[in-house]
Amino acid sequence: MTLDKQSKIYVAGHRGLVGSAIWNNLKARGYNNLVGRSHSELDLTDQNAVKDFFDTEKPDAVVLAAAFVGGIMANSLYRADFIMQNMKMQCNVISNAYSHGVKKLLFLGSTCIYPKNAPQPMKEDALLTSPLEYTNEEYAIAKIAGLKMCESYNLQYGTNYIAVMPTNLYGPNDNFHLENSHVMPAMMRKIYLAKLIHDANWKAIENDMNKRPVNPNEKLKAIIGEGNVDGSNSHERILKTLEFYGIYDNKVVLWGTGQPLREFLWSEDMADASVHVLLNVDFKDIIGIEKYSSVFYGAKADGAVDRNNSEGRGGAIPALGEIRNCHINVGTGKELTIRKLSELVVKAVGFEGTVEFDSSKPDGTMRKLIDVSKLHSLGWTHKVEIDEGVRKLFEWYKQSLQ
């Protein structure tokens, strides 16, 4: 199914890490009929608001890049939020996409969907074969539900909803908040702030805290009291806050042992892969059934296809057998340890202090390398390697503070 340049494409989460990169990638390809709404303009957890949006805009295609995300600490503190917020958003957007006749939908998940002890590298068919990693179980379950929604709508209704599962992402517009950001931006900001403390560069520290103030959790409130922490606070209150997150004068303490292996993908590469799939890959290409339309949709006597009648279709069609794991892994197929990543960040920042690892804190999954052979077979491979990407991210971060 082809989307022409005039197709209206709704990018949910268009200001986020991946959504903004997808938006820019589509623009660069000449797709200018794009629709986006910020969270303040459209709360995707509000069922009525989402329906009203689809009633008004009537998009031809949807990219569901919006999500409630965070690292190990956030996943541990806000378990209910991680499953409920993501489930609400997914259900509202996917159900309205179907009821409003959206031609193509791209759902973005995460490789945390795979079992904690899945064989490495993880193929798509490792899904649901053994228990998940406990620290991000709620987020993973929500994303599994999302990809299963796409798969099930395709099987029951003959829709064309594709789910892509990116590895750890980083890049422009990343989240650098100290509590709920992912490993690389959190590590980068901590190391940068430790350098600034050692340099006694309070103007830069205050600027950094003003750009991304800290909303203290209950544990931090017990130390510093009520109220957000920004550049207007006393130096003592700022330092106590930074120490709470393992940031000291010329020293940073990171969670875990530093031994877990992680794969990282530059967000603009992820966007390029996503748009490639959106424009060039259909559900039939993934499941490998040449006569998908006639088998799935059930051609009428005149040869036309009735997409609104699900009779005769579904996952139990004998001719199709069991269809599952139709999602697509998106990554580099390469990995490095968290300790090695910290060394790349130290080099990019120009940090001359020490980085320590607190082994009393959880590591999370020890290895999360994905198999990207399906993606490669569909015509896409990554371009940005990790050492170049870390340098590019730090340059972007510094520019964001100006």
Side-chain angles (χ1 to χ4, degrees), residues 83 86-87 90-91 94 107 113 127-128 138-153 163 165:
I83 191 166
N86 285 297
M87 288 289 289
Q90 294 162 192
C91 288
I94 293 173
F107 172 77
I113 63 168
L127 182 66
L128 298 177
E138 280 70 21
Y139 183 72
I141 288 172
K143 288 301 179 180
I144 291 169
L147 75 88
K148 284 295 182 182
M149 286 179 209
C150 293
E151 190 176 276
S152 300
Y153 268 84
M165 299 295 123

Side-chain angles (χ1 to χ4, degrees), residues 284-293 295-296 319-320 323:
K284 64 179 175 59
D285 302 318
I286 297 170
I287 63 176
I289 295 177
E290 292 295 328
K291 296 182 179 179
Y292 168 82
S293 294
V295 175
F296 251 104
L320 298 180
I323 293 178

Side-chain angles (χ1 to χ4, degrees), residues 76-103:
S76 300
L77 292 171
Y78 310 117
R79 297 182 74 89
D81 289 342
F82 271 91
I83 191 166
M84 187 59 73
Q85 299 295 325
N86 285 297
M87 288 289 289
K88 283 182 177 179
M89 287 190 277
Q90 294 162 192
C91 288
N92 289 338
V93 172
I94 293 173
S95 63
N96 275 284
Y98 173 68
S99 63
H100 290 79
V102 166
K103 299 174 185 176

